Amino acid sequence: MKNKILKYEKSRQRMVQEQLIPRGIADQRVLDVMSRVPRHIFIEDALAPQAYGDFALPISEGQTISQPYIVALMTQALKLNEDDNVLEIGTGCGYQTVILAELCRKVYTVERLKPLHIQARKNFDKLGCFNIIYKIDDGTVGWPEYQPFTRIIVTAAGPRIPEALVAQLADPGIMVIPVGDRNVQDLVAVEKTAGRIEETVIEKVRFVSLIGSQGWSG
Ligand code: SAH
């Protein structure tokens, strides 16, 4: 098991040098963690040699693990501090979750599909990540028991920003979320400061659908 985790060191460095730095990922802590976390263990063995390519890959249940650059871009936009508690909606295979967990105090992650939730938990165990709390649920309503969250990240795209998530964002706090139609979305940074909400569009993106009571209906 250990040997498998250690594989692809060169591919990981190349990913950072060729895909992240040239496109403007400048936060050294984000670059360091992306160069460390073994992305290949999050996907099926047959796809492992492609794990560090410049594209999204299928996981299961028709979902995808985001392109490395998008993971880095969203993480950088969150401006994480060591004492942040982060709510993540859309655990998927858990790759983004682990990247976050390395940079903050605690990650609360919600996934609506049980097979992916189970897969992600196995990955957290393999890597010995103990600051991740997870559940199967509709994440568009947030996670009321643990609010407020100093950071929120949504890794699936809905038609609008769920009100529950804005309500559960701490002040000050930052949320990063793709919003738009089914095919193309704006990646939006939502900053809450002194009771005010400011939205900034970061980039055009293409995510799988956020399905739930404050997302798409199916
Ligand atoms: N960050 C993930 C991306 C997975 S794709 C990764 O790195 O693998 C987005 C995920 O969001 C899918 O697994 C999908 O099932 C999940 N999702 C969609 N709508 C959701 C909702 N309302 N609540 C929780 N998860 C949701």
Side-chain angles (χ1 to χ4, degrees), residues 162-190:
E163 269 166 41
L165 299 185
V166 178
Q168 291 174 30
L169 183 64
D171 186 349
I174 303 175
M175 165 160 53
V176 178
I177 177 169
V179 187
D181 62 32
R182 293 271 192 168
N183 293 315
V184 64
Q185 305 96 26
D186 288 328
L187 183 61
V188 181
V190 180

Side-chain angles (χ1 to χ4, degrees), residues 39 56-57 59 62-75 77 88-92 95-96 153-159 176-188 202-211 216 218:
R39 182 173 160 94
L57 284 167
I59 37 181
Q63 308 302 317
T64 55
I65 176 173
S66 301
Q67 179 191 13
Y69 166 63
I70 295 295
V71 173
L73 184 68
M74 292 177 90
T75 309
E88 179 191 43
I89 310 305
T91 316
Y95 174 67
Q96 171 82 71
I153 178 171
V154 184
T155 67
V176 178
I177 177 169
V179 187
D181 62 32
R182 293 271 192 168
N183 293 315
V184 64
Q185 305 96 26
D186 288 328
L187 183 61
V188 181
I202 303 171
E203 198 159 310
K204 287 270 180 234
V205 287
R206 190 186 163 90
F207 274 83
V208 297
S209 297
L210 180 70
I211 296 167
W216 299 103

Side-chain angles (χ1 to χ4, degrees), residues 1-180:
M1 176 57 69
K2 263 253 132 37
N3 286 348
K4 189 183 170 195
I5 290 177
L6 295 175
K7 277 179 82 177
Y8 297 110
E9 168 68 27
K10 283 214 178 86
S11 310
R12 227 170 5 257
Q13 302 307 330
R14 214 178 306 129
M15 171 188 85
V16 169
Q17 296 301 326
E18 295 175 5
Q19 299 169 34
L20 308 187
I21 295 174
R23 291 199 188 111
I25 305 300
D27 184 329
Q28 194 55 47
R29 292 184 329 138
V30 175
L31 295 172
D32 285 348
V33 71
M34 298 276 305
S35 70
R36 268 202 329 267
V37 174
R39 182 173 160 94
H40 61 277
I41 69 146
F42 292 84
I43 53 182
E44 61 180 278
D45 283 349
L47 292 175
Q50 297 180 60
Y52 300 94
D54 194 11
F55 35 75
L57 284 167
I59 37 181
S60 57
E61 307 293 311
Q63 308 302 317
T64 55
I65 176 173
S66 301
Q67 179 191 13
Y69 166 63
I70 295 295
V71 173
L73 184 68
M74 292 177 90
T75 309
Q76 177 168 270
L78 283 175
K79 299 179 188 159
L80 290 169
N81 297 304
E82 275 167 19
D83 58 352
D84 277 321
N85 59 330
V86 181
L87 174 66
E88 179 191 43
I89 310 305
T91 316
C93 65
Y95 174 67
Q96 171 82 71
T97 321
V98 169
I99 298 282
L100 298 168
E102 291 282 308
L103 296 170
C104 71
R105 188 171 60 82
K106 217 164 230 175
V107 183
Y108 300 84
T109 186
V110 187
E111 170 57 53
R112 62 182 281 273
L113 300 174
K114 189 171 182 188
L116 288 171
H117 165 87
I118 291 170
Q119 194 182 316
R121 286 175 65 164
K122 284 192 191 141
N123 292 332
F124 302 151
D125 288 346
K126 272 189 222 167
L127 296 175
C129 292
F130 301 119
N131 59 338
I132 299 171
I133 319 267
Y134 32 68
K135 71 166 174 173
I136 304 171
D137 210 339
D138 170 11
T140 63
V141 298
W143 197 335
E145 294 94 311
Y146 293 110
Q147 64 157 321
F149 301 96
T150 54
R151 301 289 186 265
I152 298 178
I153 178 171
V154 184
T155 67
R160 61 188 170 276
I161 300 172
E163 269 166 41
L165 299 185
V166 178
Q168 291 174 30
L169 183 64
D171 186 349
I174 303 175
M175 165 160 53
V176 178
I177 177 169
V179 187

